[in-house]
C-alpha cells in the first residue's frame, strides 16, 4: 500500500457565523416541537425555517439544497419493517433516510460550497452533523449512508477529491471518527458500507477493508491465485461479526475483468483470515439488496451458515455450514426439483438451519423462458441432523406441498416484502394461466416458521399493488376493473393490519383511477398517514388516514395545489402549504379536522421536511 498522502480535512472551514449560530440555536433551544420548512425558488438554493407551536416561524439558514440520499445494507425486502432505517422520498422534493427514534438524515449542499449531513431530530430541531468542502463541483459526501444498530451512528464516505475517507458519526453527540486516517485517500464504494458493534467493512478500488476494535482500516488479503477484485455489495450477518463478499479479478491495467463464471465467494470475519464459502469458481451474484426478489446471498443470523445462488445452466441454490466447515448442500437438485428451476431468490434464514427462499421456472404452460421467467413458489428447507434438507412448499400454487416438486408454480413472483412485524412475507404476483391470467394479486405467507399456506389479500388487479409503510400498518394502493367507475377502472386504498394470526385488509377509500395518491408521510406516533390526492385536472387535496378507525379526513381546500411535501411535527401537528400556483404557497398547520391555523411563513414555494 502506498504511503499516506496529504488529504483534505474532513471538516472544512466553518460556515458563515450567522448561519452556524442559527443552526445551533435551532438545535439547542427550548424543548418546543418544531417543524422545519424549506422556502425559496424550486430547483435553486432554499432557506431553512422552523415553525414553532402556534405558527410562529424563525429563519435558521440560507442557501440549502437537498441532494439525493440512499441507504446501504438494507434489502428492499425490509422497507416496511418497523424499527429499521429506511430511505424515503426518492425522486421527490424531500429525499431522506428515516432513523426510527432518532429523526431523518438529509444530505444537503450548502451555500458555502460544502456538502453537509443534517439530522432533523424527533423534536424537529435540525442539526448539522458534518460538512465537507466540495471539490470540482462534485458533492463531497457520497449518496449512500449506512445506519448502525439502533440508530446509534451513521457511516458516510467522502469523495476521492474531498479526501477519500470513511467517517463514523455519532447521531447523539455528533462526534466523528475518521476510520481511514491511516490509509491513502480511497475511492470508496458507498454501497459497500457495513458496520456493527464489532466491526466495519467497506470496499474501495477492488479491495475489501475492515476496521478492527482499534478503529484502523486495513485491507483484507483474499488468497486468490489471480489478482482479486472485491465486488462492492456485502452481506452482513445479524450478529455483526461476518460479511460475505463476492470476488472477481482485476486486469493488469487495474480495471475489472468480471468473468462471472470465475467469481469466488468468501466469508470475512471481524478479525482473522477469510473463509471460502463456495466450492471454487462459479457464477455467484452479489446480495442485490435493491432487487425486488432479492437478496440472492445471505448469512444466517450467527454467520454459521451461508445460502447462495450459483448459476449452472440454471440458477441453483446452495446451503453450506461454515462452523465447522462442511460440504455444500445443493437445495434445488433433482429429484426434489426438476430442471425447470430458475429465478432463485428472496433468501432468508428463519434460524441457523432453516432457509426460506423462492424458486421459479424457465418453462411454464408451454411458454418460452423469456416470457415466463419469474414463475415460481416460496419454499422453506430445514437441514436435518445428517445435513439433508427437509423441504416444504410454502405458497403451494402448484398444489404440491412436499417433494418431489414435479409441477411448476402458477404465478409470476414480482416482489416479496416483509410485513412491519416481520412475521409475514407480502408477495405481489401475476397469474400465468386460467381465467385470471395476466391479473395481479397480493398474498401473505408466514415467515417466522416453516408453515405452508397462503392468505389471499387482493386479486384481479390490473397491475402490481403499491405498498407504503405506515408504522405498524401498510397502506396498499391498487387498481381494478369496476363497471360503475369512470372509465371502468377504480383505485382502492386499503390499510393492512397484523393484529391477528394473519394479515387483513380494511378498505379506507375508493376513487376513480384518474386520481393518483402521492406524498405519503406517517405521523411520528404511527397513528396517522398524510397523503395527497391529485385529480386528472391537476387539483390536489390533502388527506389524513387514521390508522385505528380507517377514517379519511380532508384538510384544506379541494382545489389548487398542495406543497411538494408535507410533514408532521413530533406532537402530531401536520404542516403543509396550499396555493393556486407552485410559487405562492401559503403555509399552515392542522392537528385534526377541526383544529388548524396559519403559519407565519412568507408566501413562497416551499416544502416542510418530514422526520
Amino acid at each position: 500500500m502506498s504511503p499516506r498522502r496529504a488529504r483534505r480535512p474532513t471538516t472544512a472551514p466553518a460556515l458563515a457565523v450567522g448561519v452556524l449560530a442559527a443552526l445551533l440555536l435551532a438545535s439547542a433551544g427550548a424543548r418546543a416541537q418544531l417543524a422545519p420548512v424549506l422556502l425559496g425558488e424550486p430547483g435553486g438554493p432554499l432557506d431553512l425555517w422552523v415553525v414553532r407551536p402556534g405558527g410562529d416561524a424563525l429563519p435558521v439558514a440560507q442557501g440549502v439544497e437537498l441532494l439525493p440520499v440512499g441507504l446501504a445494507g438494507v434489502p428492499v425486502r425490509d422497507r416496511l419493517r418497523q424499527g429499521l432505517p429506511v430511505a424515503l422520498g426518492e425522486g421527490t422534493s424531500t429525499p431522506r433516510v428515516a432513523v426510527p427514534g432518532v429523526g431523518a438524515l438529509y444530505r444537503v449542499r450548502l451555500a458555502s460550497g460544502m456538502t453537509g449531513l443534517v439530522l432533523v431530530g424527533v423534536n424537529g430541531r435540525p442539526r448539522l452533523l458534518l460538512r465537507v468542502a466540495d471539490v470540482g463541483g462534485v458533492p463531497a459526501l457520497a449518496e449512500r449512508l449506512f445506519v448502525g444498530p439502533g440508530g446509534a451512528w451513521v457511516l458516510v464516505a467522502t469523495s476521492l477529491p474531498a479526501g477519500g475517507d470513511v467517517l463514523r458519526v455519532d447521531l447523539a453527540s455528533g462526534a466523528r471518527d475518521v476510520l481511514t486516517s491511516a490509509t491513502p485517500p480511497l475511492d470508496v464504494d458507498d454501497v459497500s458500507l457495513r458496520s456493527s458493534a464489532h466491526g466495519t467493512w467497506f470496499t474501495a478500488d477492488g479491495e475489501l477493508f475492515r476496521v478492527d476494535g482499534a478503529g484502523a482500516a486495513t485491507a483484507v488479503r483474499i488468497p486468490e491465485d489471480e489478482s482479486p477484485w472485491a465486488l462492492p455489495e456485502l452481506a452482513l450477518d445479524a450478529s455483526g461479526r461476518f460479511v460475505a463478499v463476492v470476488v472477481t479479478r482485476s486486469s493488469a491495467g487495474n480495471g475489472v475483468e468480471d468473468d462471472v463464471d470465475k467469481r469466488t465467494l468468501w466469508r470475512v470475519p471481524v478479525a482473522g483470515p477469510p473463509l471460502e464459502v463456495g466450492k471454487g469458481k462459479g457464477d455467484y451474484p452479489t446480495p442485490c439488496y435493491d432487487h425486488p426478489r432479492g437478496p440472492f446471498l445471505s448469512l444466517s443470523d450467527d454467520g454459521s451458515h451461508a445460502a447462495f445462488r450459483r448459476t449452472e445452466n440454471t440458477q441453483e441454490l446452495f446451503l453450506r455450514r461454515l462452523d465447522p466447515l462442511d460440504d455444500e448442500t445443493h437445495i434445488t437438485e433433482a429429484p426434489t426439483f426438476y430442471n425447470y428451476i430458475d429465478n432463485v431468490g428472496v433468501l432468508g434464514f428463519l434460524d441457523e438451519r432453516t432457509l426460506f427462499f423462492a424458486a421459479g421456472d424457465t418453462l411454464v404452460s408451454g411458454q418460452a423462458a423469456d416470457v415466463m421467467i419469474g414463475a415460481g413458489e416460496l419454499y422453506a428447507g430445514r437441514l436435518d441432523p445428517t445435513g439433508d434438507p427437509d423441504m416444504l412448499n410454502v405458497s403451494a400454487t402448484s398444489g404440491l406441498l412436499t417433494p418431489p416438486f414435479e409441477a411448476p408454480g402458477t404465478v409470476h413472483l414480482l416482489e416479496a416484502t416483509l410485513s412491519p412485524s416481520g412475521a409475514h412475507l407480502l408477495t405481489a404476483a401475476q397469474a400465468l394461466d386460467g381465467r385470471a391470467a395476466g391479473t395481479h394479486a397480493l398474498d401473505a405467507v408466514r415467515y417466522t416458521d416453516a408453515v405452508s399456506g397462503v392468505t389471499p389479500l387482493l386479486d384481479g388487479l390490473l397491475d402490481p399493488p403499491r405498498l407504503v409503510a405506515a408504522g405498524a400498518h401498510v397502506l396498499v394502493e391498487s387498481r381494478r376493473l369496476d363497471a360503475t367507475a369512470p372509465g371502468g377502472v377504480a383505485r382502492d386504498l386499503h390499510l393492512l393490519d397484523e393484529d391477528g394470526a394473519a394479515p387483513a385488509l380494511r378498505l379506507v377509500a375508493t376513487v376513480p383511477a384518474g386520481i393518483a395518491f402521492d406524498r405519503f408521510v406517517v405521523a411520528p406516533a404511527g397513528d396517522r398517514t398524510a397523503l395527497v390526492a391529485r385529480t386528472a385536472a391537476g387539483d390536489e387535496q390533502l388527506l389524513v388516514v387514521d390508522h385505528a378507525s380507517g377514517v379519511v379526513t380532508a384538510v384544506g381546500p379541494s382545489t389548487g395545489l398542495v406543497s411538494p411535501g408535507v410533514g408532521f411535527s413530533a406532537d402530531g401537528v401536520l404542516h403543509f402549504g396550499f396555493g393556486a400556483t407552485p410559487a405562492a404557497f401559503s403555509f399552515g398547520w392542522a392537528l385534526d379536522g377541526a383544529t388548524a391555523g396559519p403559519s407565519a411563513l412568507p408566501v413562497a414555494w416551499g416544502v416542510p421536511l418530514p422526520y
Side-chain angles (χ1 to χ4, degrees):
M1 183 173 289
S2 58
R4 180 68 176 166
R5 300 197 301 270
R7 64 165 72 241
R8 288 184 168 271
T10 55
T11 54
L15 292 170
V17 174
V19 174
L20 180 59
L23 278 171
L24 291 175
L25 174 62
S27 64
R31 296 180 180 177
Q33 306 300 329
L34 307 176
V37 180
L38 287 174
L39 298 178
E41 295 292 332
L46 305 170
D47 297 336
L48 178 61
W49 294 63
V50 291
V51 179
R52 298 187 288 200
D56 188 20
L58 172 72
V60 295
Q62 294 179 326
V64 177
E65 178 187 355
L66 294 185
L67 299 175
V69 64
L71 187 61
V74 178
V76 69
R77 180 192 63 186
D78 291 335
R79 64 186 176 86
L80 303 177
R81 293 288 307 280
Q82 278 191 292
L84 294 182
V86 62
L88 298 171
E90 180 182 1
T92 73
S93 299
T94 54
R96 61 200 183 276
V97 170
V99 184
V102 177
L105 291 164
Y106 289 88
R107 178 170 165 258
V108 302
R109 178 176 280 124
L110 304 170
S112 53
M114 304 180 192
T115 301
L117 189 64
V118 172
L119 171 65
V120 179
V122 292
N123 54 13
R125 293 193 285 271
R127 182 156 53 100
L128 185 61
L129 294 175
L130 179 68
R131 59 188 186 276
V132 181
D134 298 336
V135 179
V138 177
L141 300 182
E143 181 173 337
R144 294 214 186 203
L145 315 172
F146 181 89
V147 177
W153 67 84
V154 61
L155 282 187
V156 58
T158 63
S159 68
L160 183 59
D165 278 309
V166 174
L167 296 91
R168 182 171 55 204
V169 184
D170 188 283
L171 293 181
S173 67
R176 64 184 70 95
D177 296 318
V178 183
L179 304 182
T180 47
S181 59
T183 67
L186 300 171
D187 190 6
V188 178
D189 301 305
D190 58 343
V191 72
S192 72
L193 297 172
R194 302 290 187 272
S195 186
S196 73
H198 303 286
T200 295
W201 297 261
F202 61 90
T203 64
D205 295 315
E207 286 191 286
L208 174 65
F209 290 82
R210 63 185 171 193
V211 180
D212 58 22
T218 56
V220 178
R221 181 182 176 276
I222 304 293
E224 285 271 14
D225 56 357
E226 299 181 76
S227 300
W229 186 281
L231 296 177
E233 196 175 20
L234 310 175
L236 175 66
D237 79 317
S239 76
R241 299 178 185 273
F242 302 96
V243 295
V245 58
V246 177
V247 174
T248 185
R249 58 183 180 174
S250 61
S251 65
N254 205 32
V256 181
E257 185 181 339
D258 188 12
D259 186 342
V260 294
D261 293 326
K262 295 182 179 180
R263 291 177 173 183
T264 55
L265 177 59
W266 301 81
R267 187 190 70 173
V268 181
V270 174
L275 174 69
E276 188 167 10
V277 174
K279 294 184 67 175
K281 293 179 170 58
D283 182 357
Y284 300 99
T286 60
C288 296
Y289 282 164
D290 289 341
H291 196 286
R293 292 189 298 273
F296 304 138
L297 166 62
S298 182
L299 293 173
S300 61
D301 285 357
D302 62 358
S304 65
H305 291 71
F308 52 93
R309 200 175 78 182
R310 186 169 65 225
T311 300
E312 301 175 349
N313 295 320
T314 57
Q315 295 170 2
E316 303 291 343
L317 175 61
F318 297 85
L319 180 63
R320 193 171 193 185
R321 181 181 179 183
L322 306 177
D323 296 322
L325 186 63
D326 201 352
D327 200 6
E328 64 183 24
T329 300
H330 187 181
I331 298 294
T332 52
E333 69 176 343
T336 302
F337 293 89
Y338 281 71
N339 292 332
Y340 56 74
I341 211 68
D342 214 327
N343 204 52
V344 172
V346 198
L347 305 184
F349 283 88
L350 306 184
D351 56 50
E352 70 276 6
R353 297 173 63 85
T354 306
L355 178 66
F356 192 99
F357 64 97
D361 310 306
T362 58
L363 192 67
V364 176
S365 302
Q367 298 288 337
D370 60 348
V371 176
M372 288 303 182
I373 193 166
E377 303 275 27
L378 297 170
Y379 300 91
R382 181 171 178 80
L383 293 180
D384 65 22
T386 68
D388 293 326
D390 182 14
M391 303 298 303
L392 176 71
N393 188 343
V394 175
S395 55
T397 66
S398 66
L400 300 175
L401 299 181
T402 57
F405 302 116
E406 299 174 333
T410 62
V411 298
H412 177 145
L413 180 65
L414 300 172
E415 63 179 14
T417 311
L418 284 171
S419 63
S421 71
H424 299 90
L425 197 68
L426 307 176
T427 61
Q430 185 176 21
L432 295 177
D433 52 25
R435 290 189 307 167
T439 65
H440 295 260
L442 178 68
D443 298 320
V445 299
R446 288 280 294 277
Y447 186 76
T448 51
D449 48 26
V451 176
S452 183
V454 174
T455 300
L457 297 173
L458 292 172
D459 59 20
L461 306 180
L462 295 178
D463 36 38
R466 179 185 183 188
L467 307 182
V468 180
H473 306 267
V474 180
L475 279 167
V476 181
E477 180 186 353
S478 59
R479 293 192 317 136
R480 58 179 170 81
L481 292 175
D482 184 346
T484 65
V489 177
R491 188 183 304 274
D492 295 326
L493 190 65
H494 289 85
L495 265 173
L496 183 143
D497 302 316
E498 278 194 291
D499 297 334
L505 291 178
R506 287 181 288 150
L507 180 65
V508 297
T510 296
V511 298
I515 293 179
F517 298 126
D518 62 16
R519 282 162 274 181
F520 294 83
V521 176
V522 183
D527 59 340
R528 291 171 294 154
T529 295
L531 66 149
V532 175
R534 182 181 179 88
T535 69
D539 288 317
E540 297 181 336
Q541 173 72 68
L542 180 58
L543 305 172
V544 176
V545 179
D546 183 275
H547 297 168
S549 65
V551 173
V552 180
T553 302
V555 177
S558 58
T559 58
L561 302 176
V562 180
S563 53
V566 298
F568 286 96
S569 55
D571 49 5
V573 175
L574 178 62
H575 295 264
F576 49 82
F578 289 118
T581 66
F585 288 119
S586 297
F587 289 87
W589 58 270
L591 182 59
D592 51 43
T595 307
S599 300
L601 289 168
V603 174
W605 185 92
V607 53
L609 298 182
Y611 60 92

